[in-house]
């Protein structure tokens, strides 16, 4: 995991930060002009909650996968 502040300089990454900022998930400082870098200065409470929810979904999916189920069965 990266430490904040975190700089993003590729155009696709900056565009994604615009979306995340509009959704209230991050606080970002944008340099003036298109194609300019941006700096993530904070992840909001909503952003942290969204990350935790996504991580939980991935864990649940892995636990339900046949490979994990059979591995647990073999250990029991």
């Amino acid at each position: 995991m990266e430490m904040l502040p975190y700089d993003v300089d590729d155009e696709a990454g900056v565009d994604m930060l615009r979306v995340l900022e509009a959704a209230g998930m991050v606080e970002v400082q944008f340099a003036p002009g298109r194609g300019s870098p941006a700096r993530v200065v904070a992840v909001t409470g909503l952003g942290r909650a969204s990350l935790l929810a996504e991580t939980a979904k991935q864990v649940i999916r892995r636990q339900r996968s046949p490979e994990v189920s059979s591995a647990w069965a073999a250990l029991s």
Side-chain angles (χ1 to χ4, degrees):
M1 177 167 265
E2 299 292 331
M3 300 298 289
L4 295 178
Y6 181 72
D7 294 329
V8 176
D9 57 3
D10 66 283
E11 192 171 338
V14 172
D15 287 343
M16 181 58 68
L17 288 176
R18 290 182 195 287
V19 171
L20 292 171
E21 183 187 49
M25 294 185 181
V26 294
E27 294 177 17
V28 183
Q29 296 172 340
F30 294 99
R34 191 80 179 143
S36 299
R39 174 171 280 181
V40 180
V41 293
V43 177
T44 66
L46 177 61
R48 285 189 298 277
S50 296
L51 286 169
L52 287 171
E54 184 58 34
T55 301
K57 285 181 200 176
Q58 290 175 9
V59 168
I60 290 167
R61 276 190 215 118
R62 271 191 232 125
Q63 288 176 345
R64 290 182 180 168
S65 74
E67 300 86 29
V68 172
S69 297
S70 59
W72 279 112
L75 292 174
S76 300

